[in-house]
Amino acid sequence: MHIDTLFTPRSVAIVGADNDPSKVGYALMKNALAGGTREVYPVTISEASVLDHVAYPSVNAIPGDVDLVIIAVRADVVPTILRQSAEKGIHTAVVISAGFKEAGEEGAKLEEEMVAVAKEHGITLLGPNCLGVMNTHAEWNGSFAVKAPRKGSIGFISQSGALGTALLDWADREGVGFSKFVSLGNEAQLTETELLEYLRDDEETTAVLLYVEQVRDGARFLELAKQVTSKKPLIVLRAGRSARGSAAVASHTGSLAPADAVFEAALRQVGAIPVDSLRALYSITKLLELGITTPQQTIAIVTNGGGPSVNTADLIETSRSLSLATFNDNTKDALRAVLPPMAAVGNPIDVIGDAGPDRYDGVLSVLETLDDIDAIIALVTPQMMTDPAGIARTVVAHRGAKPILPVFMGGDAVSPGVHALVEAGMVSFDSPSDVVEALDILAAGAQRPSVETPQHETPDDTVALYPFDEMRTLLDDYGVHLEGAFAQTKEDLASAVKKLGDGPYAMKAMGPQLVHKTDLKAVTVNVADVTALETAWDTMTKDIKRHLPDAVIEGMLVQTMAQGVECIVGMKRDPVFGPVIVFGLGGIFVEILKDAAMRIAPVSEDEALEQIREIQGIPLLSGARGSEPMDLRALAHIVSAIAHLALDYPDIAEIDLNPVFATPSGAHVVDARMVRAQ
Amino acid sequence: MHIDTLFTPRSVAIVGADNDPSKVGYALMKNALAGGTREVYPVTISEASVLDHVAYPSVNAIPGDVDLVIIAVRADVVPTILRQSAEKGIHTAVVISAGFKEAGEEGAKLEEEMVAVAKEHGITLLGPNCLGVMNTHAEWNGSFAVKAPRKGSIGFISQSGALGTALLDWADREGVGFSKFVSLGNEAQLTETELLEYLRDDEETTAVLLYVEQVRDGARFLELAKQVTSKKPLIVLRAGRSARGSAAVASHTGSLAPADAVFEAALRQVGAIPVDSLRALYSITKLLELGITTPQQTIAIVTNGGGPSVNTADLIETSRSLSLATFNDNTKDALRAVLPPMAAVGNPIDVIGDAGPDRYDGVLSVLETLDDIDAIIALVTPQMMTDPAGIARTVVAHRGAKPILPVFMGGDAVSPGVHALVEAGMVSFDSPSDVVEALDILAAGAQRPSVETPQHETPDDTVALYPFDEMRTLLDDYGVHLEGAFAQTKEDLASAVKKLGDGPYAMKAMGPQLVHKTDLKAVTVNVADVTALETAWDTMTKDIKRHLPDAVIEGMLVQTMAQGVECIVGMKRDPVFGPVIVFGLGGIFVEILKDAAMRIAPVSEDEALEQIREIQGIPLLSGARGSEPMDLRALAHIVSAIAHLALDYPDIAEIDLNPVFATPSGAHVVDARMVRAQ
């Protein structure tokens, strides 16, 4: 891999260079020449020179060494160019050209050919169908983007070129800079994982943004994401969330874990920060530009206007993870000393409408000495006496002591202030909601996922269940014991009941097609004794056969009536991330309210405990209103065991342990089913 | 009331006019002279003329008629100026001056004096401590704001001057116009209700924005809000949401209905649209500027870039109330006819990165003919060949046929497009999330409130409950029957049981201090017969006395064990809006999950049915998974009755009917308590 060459090439050949400003080959040349001291060689057969640089008819004709080739010619010519580049000793290529996999079957073939050539010659290949690559620290713009970003410390990997250009253009206006930018295009060879690996170790990059539409190797992705987040924040905007929610599911677990929620849970599990909207992504880049890469939770507000600060306080108080700082008497006295009598020294601190820079200066001087404040939101509204530029300079002067988040609200009237901030390498947020949302996402990043289940799941009745005996043995092997005695025939009922002791009993029919037991009347509860069980056996068999004439009934599971808090433990195999382990409360309440928490396997017992504690209804298990706490350790054991089992048996598509009754001394698995992968 | 004069004065006196640009009196003069043809008279004792207008020493010295006086002098002089104005025959005043109620006790007295003068002389008074008033349609700026807004059709009432100036300044840059603006200040006389009444009938105003920190007369406010929403949308940004959530509560109902949630529910009940953040308010003003004042739910997307449009589609699919339009084959063929083969004709329609205005033109021409599309989001990202101004002109040319929502993403590269839109009276959204959020809020406005209960309620144990007999009689009078037989003494148990029929029974102790019955062990369930009840009587009495030695036990309520779905019906008296009627599911699940819906009394049975159907757990009542539906009409009867009762008895502070068991044929009230107002 020669990824480093993408970002710091010493000499570059641009194949398809052009003097026509409407051509990609022109933009590539212009951008490549815009900074730095490297050699840039245009390659084209149609012109003698491009942008005053001697053009060569092929890469082989270039006199000097070349370590990077950027290719922007017709797709069908690309493999040839790659071969020539290999001959020239070039090991790194950016293929800008479109017309490959995204263009249909023929293009897909061409892409395969191109990848084969790259592989044969050991060429590291970015693209095709991409915007290119940038490294502001080396003044290197290897893209045809309309504008190079400001120098900064955010690394940005995008699976969409258009999203990349839009964000870079926006960021330039707003004063947000980047260290590196990569547009991945079709990912014929390089994918987000290699770039994550690179940016993980890149010292010029202090935070990583990723726009991702597709992850191919979930395990590898998560491994790298985890490595990145151990060093710097990783912000991920995922696309196709709605599409991912609509896959058919065959189990309760499936419906509790739609694919996008799995992705979100997986991201949080490795410490990455998922965001849903471009506005949130925009706002977070501003935090990062201000050097804020770790959670800042206790917030002070200084303002020259009441309304906006009240709204800011509201948003903080109703956020998931932020709170307003409280000031002690010393602090209030110190604030009073720098403010007129009419000012309010609570939080928000209202320096009043006629405040000049001096009052902001006084307040910031007091606040920056306080240990129990994480960050300061500096609100400025354009009032008659307001000097936005002066206040901006004051904010800039106080930079460093404590994170200051400027919110200069308005338009033209405050723009001198915003410009002063941007010139000094800071930024301003348009509205308090933007900064509060960004702070909350950063602080809540590693917290519990919100499971929003889409309504359009299609239950699948045609799945194949594991035979009961096989399933029970398998669960036993992993230390998960399904309660009750199994009767293969009606005659076995007497010995089953003897094993169980006194009733009343519950009885469930088992069989590969008996997916929805309640609907099929395949469950009877509160049965008093053997005689009643035998009668129930006949009734249930008849009922099931009426609904499903060719149903196979393997036998009946007889149990004593269980008590405790009804839970569900399940597994769903995600095509990208593998086994997803779900824990939730059981029963009809939860089918409706969808209260569940997820982890990607493996899950240790300690991790499982953490997972269990994430559900909204945890007070029911941990001892609400003085009730006895349930045995969470026993539940965690089951969760962890199911994760191991799922990793060991890839042919199991889904597992439902439902219900599992949690009691103060143990957890009892009362029903289970496993769906075989098809 | 002379509110009309505030907005269309024929001649204005500005008391405190000044030539010093740092003074409010200068800004007022300058703004007043900036447009229109009315007479503007400066009044000041310190200068001969202000801004080349002859200055008068007092309003009485002005030669012509004056219908509006704007006062910006020291607070203690204001009553005198008002008296002089009355002598001059002026009936309308705007008091800009600060130093009244907001400045402490002395200021409050001054404010009272001022209001008394106004009342005595029949003067309509806006302020004090306000920014002023504007009417763009009359070129009238009666404020000291730094800038007058563009002419538009949004009316804006603000309880914060700072928020007003910030929004107006922002709106000017973004191309959003206003019809009227009013800063309410201290609301010594005029409040939001009089202004709502005025804007309700104002033909130049097609939508009303309200920033509100405090509502004084809840009933009047709701009445007027309802009148406004019957004619035009009313968008309300409420402040102090977090503060309102922290009041002490003495009942389950109280904890299910924090004051801010009540305000939100009240707004939705009258069809107003609550918003929480300034970003959302910003975005909604852009919708309004585009003429969109009614829900637009089925959305088509046209884009020149993949990533941003996928994110847009995600946001729409995961929104509360929007959906993506689907195109039939005819539409797809029509789109193919105007687009190159590589373009995608699904929704989003991807016209590809090199698209010029012609492709947008072609697509818009097709989309605007389709009946099953409500609105079109036109996404533009700055790519190499993109002509943002040209695309903007195309969008402008298609205006009118169907709402088009431009999202020109980026910064300088797209700004020619944004400018072209603004010049033509349109706007652009910065990001897809902004427009989707705004559309969703507009469409979901009248839908169910989200009840987010703050965690910091303080249960109050010192409340006084109604005596049992009185409560039961009162409920009976309204057709709500509390189940069971009441035994005042242990000796009454036998006859109570006779009334009830076979057991087992539940027994509850009643008494004014028995607020938390479970904690006090004041409930026993599953009691077999009279003998067991008598034993339980003694045990319970002992237990209660141990916890609360001076507890008064009025007797015991004996009931047969109830079955059904546990619900709660309650009332909490809100200090602003009056009786709030709460319906929710009961039991510990709901204590934790807080699933409830609210209405302000009165509530008809039909309205109550609607309210009941709003709860998240409604499938439990309406027949989930083939179970029998519960008698919702019986529940609605109870909800409506409690609303009537609460209106008739203002000394009842809170009511809890908990649990109420819903069954397929009726609803059974199993426990009740009423808290007396203190």
Side-chain angles (χ1 to χ4, degrees):
Chain A
M1 285 288 163
H2 303 84
I3 295 179
D4 195 55
T5 311
L6 287 173
F7 293 105
T8 54
R10 279 162 297 127
S11 57
V12 183
I14 295 176
V15 183
D18 208 306
N19 279 313
D20 175 353
S22 76
K23 292 283 159 56
V24 168
Y26 173 88
L28 285 169
M29 272 302 286
K30 197 163 161 253
N31 287 342
L33 293 170
T37 53
R38 67 194 62 75
E39 293 295 333
V40 178
Y41 302 109
V43 177
T44 174
I45 48 172
S46 59
E47 321 207 23
S49 72
V50 178
L51 292 174
D52 295 330
H53 282 62
V54 176
Y56 298 90
S58 80
V59 287
N60 307 93
I62 297 172
D65 278 349
V66 175
D67 56 4
L68 177 67
V69 60
I70 301 181
I71 305 172
V73 292
R74 257 187 13 240
D76 58 338
V77 189
V78 175
T80 307
I81 305 288
L82 268 191
R83 280 193 197 90
Q84 292 173 352
S85 300
E87 282 167 30
K88 175 70 184 166
I90 303 174
H91 290 291
T92 313
V94 177
V95 182
I96 303 290
S97 320
F100 289 90
K101 201 173 58 193
E102 83 286 2
E105 218 175 298
E106 222 166 297
K109 271 188 211 156
L110 212 51
E111 188 161 319
E112 273 172 41
E113 188 192 339
M114 179 183 71
V115 172
V117 173
K119 196 174 171 187
E120 186 192 338
H121 296 285
I123 292 176
T124 298
L125 187 147
L126 178 68
N129 190 26
C130 77
L131 188 70
V133 64
M134 302 177 188
N135 175 6
T136 57
H137 291 258
E139 292 186 69
W140 165 233
N141 184 351
S143 83
F144 64 100
V146 284
K147 192 182 284 177
R150 290 162 190 264
K151 191 170 164 178
S153 58
I154 304 172
F156 178 22
I157 306 167
S158 181
Q159 285 188 349
S160 158
L163 194 132
T165 53
L167 179 57
L168 294 181
D169 187 34
W170 173 86
D172 182 63
R173 186 187 66 193
E174 301 285 329
V176 175
F178 292 86
S179 55
K180 311 276 190 297
F181 168 74
V182 176
S183 157
L184 290 169
N186 289 5
E187 300 193 332
Q189 193 205 75
L190 285 179
T191 71
E192 71 286 348
T193 54
E194 289 82 16
L195 274 305
L196 282 176
E197 191 173 9
Y198 180 81
L199 292 181
R200 173 195 66 193
D201 301 326
D202 181 37
E203 293 190 357
E204 287 153 356
T205 298
T206 59
V208 180
L209 293 191
L210 173 64
Y211 169 75
V212 62
E213 296 184 343
Q214 189 191 15
V215 170
R216 286 192 199 143
D217 182 347
R220 176 92 182 117
F221 172 81
L222 291 182
E223 190 191 319
L224 274 160
K226 197 169 182 174
Q227 291 172 11
V228 171
T229 61
S230 72
K231 298 174 114 186
K232 48 192 92 172
L234 171 61
I235 321 295
V236 182
L237 177 65
R238 8 195 249 304
R241 296 194 295 131
S242 47
R244 265 199 295 275
S246 57
V249 286
S251 66
H252 288 299
T253 302
S255 76
L256 284 172
D260 178 61
V262 169
F263 193 4
E264 184 177 342
L267 287 171
R268 290 185 195 272
Q269 195 172 335
V270 296
I273 298 169
V275 297
D276 294 343
S277 77
L278 274 162
R279 170 60 64 194
L281 190 70
Y282 281 7
S283 300
I284 285 181
T285 65
K286 288 193 174 175
L287 280 193
L288 299 175
E289 179 67 30
L290 290 169
I292 299 172
T293 55
T294 55
Q296 311 292 330
Q297 298 185 269
T298 309
I299 313 296
I301 304 169
V302 50
T303 183
N304 71 343
S309 67
V310 176
N311 184 247
T312 313
D314 282 347
L315 294 170
I316 288 174
E317 292 281 36
T318 56
S319 71
R320 287 171 296 169
S321 51
L322 311 180
S323 63
L324 285 175
T326 48
F327 302 142
N328 63 26
D329 288 342
N330 288 344
T331 302
K332 287 184 183 174
D333 287 343
L335 289 169
R336 280 191 198 100
V338 296
L339 293 174
M342 282 283 293
V345 297
N347 191 11
I349 302 161
D350 191 340
V351 298
I352 329 188
D354 60 347
D358 54 320
R359 288 195 206 152
Y360 280 89
D361 181 49
V363 169
L364 291 174
S365 300
V366 172
L367 294 182
E368 67 196 9
T369 65
L370 301 178
D371 288 336
D372 47 358
I373 292 178
D374 292 333
I376 304 160
I377 294 178
L379 278 176
V380 179
T381 60
Q383 304 196 45
M384 224 195 79
M385 301 294 294
T386 308
D387 168 12
I391 297 170
R393 284 189 294 271
T394 302
V395 166
V396 169
H398 282 274
R399 180 168 45 169
K402 220 176 254 299
I404 306 178
L405 303 146
V407 182
F408 283 53
M409 292 180 63
D412 292 348
V414 293
S415 72
V418 177
H419 287 146
L421 289 168
V422 169
E423 263 169 45
M426 293 186 75
V427 296
S428 168
F429 294 83
D430 286 355
S431 83
S433 16
D434 292 349
V435 66
V436 173
E437 181 185 26
L439 284 171
D440 198 25
I441 289 173
L442 192 65
Q447 292 185 6
R448 60 171 311 207
S450 64
V451 179
E452 284 171 35
T453 312
Q455 294 304 302
H456 36 53
E457 306 123 16
T458 327
D460 184 350
D461 280 341
T462 65
V463 297
L465 296 187
Y466 265 67
F468 176 77
D469 261 347
E470 200 180 318
M471 173 177 77
R472 189 177 207 175
T473 310
L474 202 51
L475 288 171
D476 270 335
D477 289 348
Y478 285 80
V480 176
H481 304 292
L482 184 53
E483 300 283 308
F486 187 62
Q488 261 187 307
T489 66
K490 201 157 72 171
E491 287 65 40
D492 299 339
L493 282 173
S495 71
V497 160
K498 202 175 282 175
K499 267 191 240 164
L500 294 174
D502 284 352
Y505 308 101
M507 185 162 73
K508 293 165 190 146
M510 295 291 163
Q513 300 115 308
L514 308 184
V515 178
H516 297 297
K517 286 204 180 68
T518 314
D519 299 345
L520 292 170
K521 297 193 196 285
V523 182
T524 308
V525 296
N526 262 322
V527 193
D529 52 25
V530 178
T531 320
L533 284 171
E534 285 169 350
T535 314
W537 183 296
D538 293 334
T539 320
M540 285 164 69
T541 309
K542 229 180 283 173
D543 276 336
I544 294 167
K545 294 284 185 184
R546 195 168 52 236
H547 283 94
L548 269 182
D550 53 355
V552 176
I553 300 177
E554 296 164 296
M556 302 267 181
L557 182 64
V558 186
Q559 302 165 324
T560 48
M561 295 293 288
Q563 288 211 317
V565 180
E566 214 175 325
C567 300
I568 172 170
V569 176
M571 186 280 296
K572 173 195 167 181
R573 197 170 297 275
D574 185 85
V576 176
F577 296 105
V580 181
I581 313 303
V582 175
F583 175 82
L585 286 177
I588 194 162
F589 272 92
V590 162
E591 272 181 49
I592 292 160
L593 299 173
K594 312 272 185 192
D595 185 15
M598 276 175 263
R599 286 292 185 282
I600 311 295
V603 184
S604 71
E605 283 194 26
D606 282 345
E607 288 166 339
L609 269 181
E610 218 176 67
Q611 175 183 2
I612 291 166
R613 292 205 177 96
E614 271 177 13
I615 63 166
Q616 220 180 330
I618 183 65
L620 287 176
L621 293 171
S622 60
R625 290 175 62 106
S627 65
E628 216 175 338
M630 302 296 142
D631 187 347
L632 297 187
R633 183 56 70 176
L635 289 172
H637 168 73
I638 296 172
V639 169
S640 178
I642 292 299
H644 282 127
L645 192 161
L647 286 172
D648 294 346
Y649 290 84
D651 63 324
I652 305 175
E654 299 184 22
I655 302 175
D656 266 359
L657 306 185
N658 180 23
V660 175
F661 281 101
T663 76
S665 56
H668 306 288
V669 181
V670 169
D671 202 356
R673 59 198 189 116
M674 288 186 188
V675 178
R676 205 185 279 282
Q678 281 171 318
Chain B
M1 286 287 163
H2 303 83
I3 295 180
D4 196 53
T5 311
L6 287 173
F7 294 105
T8 54
R10 278 162 297 124
S11 56
V12 183
I14 294 177
V15 183
D18 208 307
N19 279 314
D20 175 352
S22 75
K23 292 282 160 59
V24 167
Y26 174 88
L28 286 169
M29 271 303 286
K30 198 164 161 252
N31 286 342
L33 293 169
T37 54
R38 68 194 61 76
E39 293 295 332
V40 178
Y41 303 108
V43 178
T44 173
I45 47 172
S46 59
E47 323 206 21
S49 72
V50 177
L51 292 174
D52 296 329
H53 282 63
V54 175
Y56 299 89
S58 80
V59 287
N60 306 93
I62 297 172
D65 279 350
V66 174
D67 56 4
L68 176 67
V69 60
I70 301 182
I71 306 172
V73 293
R74 259 193 5 246
D76 58 339
V77 189
V78 175
T80 307
I81 305 288
L82 268 190
R83 280 192 197 92
Q84 292 173 352
S85 300
E87 283 167 29
K88 175 72 184 166
I90 304 175
H91 290 291
T92 313
V94 177
V95 182
I96 302 290
S97 320
F100 290 91
K101 201 172 58 190
E102 83 286 1
E105 219 173 298
E106 221 166 300
K109 272 189 212 154
L110 213 51
E111 187 161 319
E112 273 172 40
E113 187 191 342
M114 177 183 73
V115 172
V117 173
K119 197 173 171 189
E120 186 191 338
H121 297 285
I123 292 177
T124 298
L125 187 147
L126 178 67
N129 190 25
C130 78
L131 188 70
V133 64
M134 302 176 188
N135 175 6
T136 57
H137 290 259
E139 292 186 68
W140 165 233
N141 184 352
S143 83
F144 64 100
V146 285
K147 193 183 281 177
R150 290 161 190 265
K151 190 170 166 179
S153 57
I154 304 173
F156 177 22
I157 305 167
S158 182
Q159 286 189 348
S160 158
L163 194 132
T165 53
L167 179 58
L168 293 181
D169 188 34
W170 172 88
D172 183 62
R173 186 187 66 194
E174 301 284 329
V176 175
F178 293 86
S179 55
K180 310 274 191 298
F181 168 75
V182 176
S183 158
L184 290 170
N186 290 4
E187 300 193 331
Q189 192 203 73
L190 284 179
T191 71
E192 70 287 348
T193 53
E194 289 83 16
L195 275 305
L196 282 176
E197 190 173 11
Y198 180 80
L199 292 181
R200 174 195 67 193
D201 301 326
D202 181 36
E203 292 189 359
E204 286 153 358
T205 298
T206 59
V208 180
L209 292 191
L210 173 65
Y211 169 77
V212 62
E213 297 185 344
Q214 190 191 14
V215 170
R216 288 195 197 143
D217 181 346
R220 175 91 181 117
F221 172 81
L222 291 181
E223 189 191 321
L224 273 160
K226 197 169 182 173
Q227 291 172 11
V228 171
T229 61
S230 73
K231 297 174 115 186
K232 47 192 94 173
L234 170 61
I235 321 294
V236 182
L237 177 65
R238 8 196 249 304
R241 295 194 295 131
S242 47
R244 265 199 296 274
S246 56
V249 287
S251 65
H252 289 297
T253 301
S255 76
L256 284 172
D260 178 60
V262 169
F263 193 2
E264 184 177 341
L267 287 171
R268 291 186 196 273
Q269 195 172 336
V270 296
I273 298 170
V275 297
D276 293 343
S277 78
L278 274 162
R279 170 61 63 193
L281 189 70
Y282 281 7
S283 300
I284 285 181
T285 65
K286 288 193 174 176
L287 279 192
L288 299 175
E289 179 66 31
L290 290 169
I292 299 171
T293 55
T294 56
Q296 310 292 330
Q297 297 184 268
T298 308
I299 313 295
I301 304 169
V302 50
T303 183
N304 70 342
S309 67
V310 177
N311 184 247
T312 313
D314 282 346
L315 293 170
I316 289 173
E317 292 281 36
T318 56
S319 71
R320 287 171 295 169
S321 50
L322 311 179
S323 62
L324 286 174
T326 48
F327 301 141
N328 64 24
D329 288 342
N330 287 345
T331 302
K332 286 184 183 176
D333 286 344
L335 289 168
R336 279 192 198 99
V338 296
L339 293 174
M342 284 282 294
V345 297
N347 190 11
I349 302 162
D350 191 340
V351 298
I352 330 187
D354 60 346
D358 54 321
R359 290 197 205 150
Y360 280 88
D361 180 49
V363 168
L364 291 175
S365 301
V366 173
L367 294 181
E368 66 196 10
T369 64
L370 301 177
D371 288 336
D372 46 0
I373 292 179
D374 291 334
I376 303 161
I377 294 178
L379 277 176
V380 180
T381 60
Q383 304 196 47
M384 226 195 77
M385 301 294 294
T386 308
D387 168 13
I391 297 170
R393 283 189 294 272
T394 303
V395 167
V396 169
H398 282 273
R399 182 168 43 170
K402 219 175 256 298
I404 306 178
L405 304 146
V407 183
F408 281 52
M409 291 179 64
D412 292 347
V414 294
S415 71
V418 176
H419 287 148
L421 288 168
V422 169
E423 263 169 44
M426 293 185 76
V427 296
S428 169
F429 293 83
D430 286 354
S431 82
S433 14
D434 293 349
V435 66
V436 173
E437 182 185 24
L439 285 171
D440 198 25
I441 289 173
L442 192 65
Q447 291 185 7
R448 58 170 311 205
S450 63
V451 179
E452 282 169 36
T453 312
Q455 293 304 304
H456 37 53
E457 305 122 15
T458 325
D460 184 350
D461 280 340
T462 65
V463 297
L465 296 187
Y466 265 68
F468 176 77
D469 261 348
E470 199 180 320
M471 173 177 76
R472 190 175 206 176
T473 311
L474 203 52
L475 288 172
D476 271 334
D477 289 349
Y478 286 80
V480 176
H481 304 293
L482 183 54
E483 299 283 307
F486 187 63
Q488 259 187 306
T489 65
K490 201 157 72 168
E491 287 64 41
D492 298 338
L493 282 174
S495 71
V497 160
K498 204 174 280 174
K499 267 192 239 163
L500 295 173
D502 285 350
Y505 308 100
M507 184 161 75
K508 292 166 190 144
M510 295 291 164
Q513 300 115 308
L514 308 184
V515 178
H516 297 296
K517 286 204 182 69
T518 314
D519 299 345
L520 292 171
K521 298 194 195 286
V523 181
T524 307
V525 295
N526 262 322
V527 193
D529 51 27
V530 177
T531 320
L533 284 171
E534 286 168 351
T535 313
W537 185 294
D538 294 334
T539 319
M540 285 163 69
T541 309
K542 227 180 284 173
D543 277 334
I544 293 168
K545 293 284 185 186
R546 195 168 51 237
H547 283 94
L548 270 181
D550 53 355
V552 176
I553 300 177
E554 297 165 294
M556 302 268 181
L557 181 63
V558 186
Q559 303 166 321
T560 48
M561 296 291 289
Q563 288 212 315
V565 180
E566 213 175 323
C567 301
I568 172 169
V569 176
M571 185 281 294
K572 173 194 167 181
R573 198 171 297 275
D574 185 85
V576 176
F577 297 104
V580 181
I581 313 303
V582 175
F583 175 82
L585 286 177
I588 193 164
F589 273 92
V590 162
E591 272 181 49
I592 292 161
L593 299 171
K594 312 273 186 191
D595 185 17
M598 278 175 262
R599 286 291 186 281
I600 312 295
V603 184
S604 70
E605 283 194 25
D606 283 346
E607 287 166 339
L609 269 180
E610 220 177 67
Q611 175 183 2
I612 291 166
R613 291 206 177 95
E614 271 178 13
I615 63 165
Q616 221 181 329
I618 183 64
L620 287 176
L621 293 171
S622 60
R625 291 176 63 107
S627 65
E628 217 175 339
M630 302 297 140
D631 186 347
L632 297 188
R633 182 57 71 177
L635 289 173
H637 168 72
I638 296 173
V639 169
S640 179
I642 292 298
H644 281 127
L645 192 162
L647 286 172
D648 293 347
Y649 290 84
D651 64 324
I652 304 175
E654 299 183 24
I655 302 174
D656 265 359
L657 306 185
N658 179 25
V660 176
F661 282 99
T663 74
S665 56
H668 307 288
V669 182
V670 169
D671 202 357
R673 58 198 191 115
M674 289 187 187
V675 178
R676 206 185 278 283
Q678 280 167 321

